[in-house]
Amino acid sequence: MKLKALDITLVGMFVALMGIGANITSIAPFLTVGGVPITLQTFFAILAGLVLGSRLGSIAMVSYMLVGLVGVPVFSKFGAGPSTILSPTFGFIVSFIFLAFIAGKIVEKKKSLPAFIIAALIGMSVNYLFGTNWMYYAYKLWFTAPEGFTYKMAWLWMIPPLPKDIILAVFAGVLAHRLEKSVLSKGQFKRLKKVS
């Protein structure tokens, strides 16, 4: 599978955005609401799928995961290295690949604003479903679970960030649709993609 120069540039840009989004509260500590840090990983992962499409969006997320696994501190709390695979939250990182692919597939078929918003919300749901189930089984199988830990408790932990992620998913859908109408579908960008 051959990537053009522009493709590599866009993938690199989203890898960088994911790293920033994972650690935004370290850069801007005020972005913590009610003790819950406002991370932007899911937002940028959704945007990658919507803007880059299913193929390139998922490649960007695979690249992000691999960059972190080889030791570049791009994960949350500047985490990195192969040991992060054992982390209960690593499933959320893996889910970014699937959510970008699915969100991208949806908008490749239809370019309307509702399609972009629905794709973004479905992508967010994939992130929650995959990540939360991974976290539950990680605690049950290879990580030390908190006392009285249950499947219900795993999902209760996901309630505080849910409103933020819904709002950001909708915003990602609106933003990606605007970019599609103003930049991505224009002749200049299409020509650049062809020659790159």
Side-chain angles (χ1 to χ4, degrees), residues 46-145:
I46 291 168
L47 208 57
L50 299 180
V51 170
L52 304 182
S54 58
R55 173 181 162 270
L56 208 55
S58 55
I59 288 171
M61 295 303 101
V62 169
S63 301
Y64 168 68
M65 183 178 72
L66 293 177
V67 164
L69 289 176
V70 298
V72 182
V74 292
F75 297 151
S76 181
K77 297 177 183 173
F78 297 103
S83 63
T84 53
I85 292 172
L86 298 175
S87 165
T89 56
F90 188 72
F92 291 100
I93 295 170
V94 177
S95 78
F96 296 144
I97 301 164
F98 300 111
L99 84 81
F101 182 83
I102 292 166
K105 272 292 177 197
I106 293 168
V107 296
E108 282 165 8
K109 296 180 191 303
K110 199 164 186 181
K111 300 286 185 186
S112 66
L113 178 59
F116 272 82
I117 292 173
I118 288 166
L121 290 170
I122 288 172
M124 187 208 78
S125 301
V126 169
N127 175 242
Y128 270 60
L129 280 168
F130 193 97
T132 306
N133 278 287
W134 178 296
M135 179 173 67
Y136 172 74
Y137 286 108
Y139 274 122
K140 284 294 182 183
L141 298 175
W142 67 81
F143 214 79
T144 306

Side-chain angles (χ1 to χ4, degrees), residues 15-34:
V15 169
L17 287 171
M18 289 293 290
I20 293 166
N23 296 288
I24 193 74
T25 48
S26 300
I27 302 160
F30 58 87
L31 289 174
T32 301
V33 180

Side-chain angles (χ1 to χ4, degrees), residues 20-21 45-46 90 115 126 147 152 169 179 188 193:
I20 293 166
I46 291 168
F90 188 72
V126 169
E147 181 132 4
K152 183 181 177 182
L179 287 170
Q188 219 172 7
K193 284 205 82 170

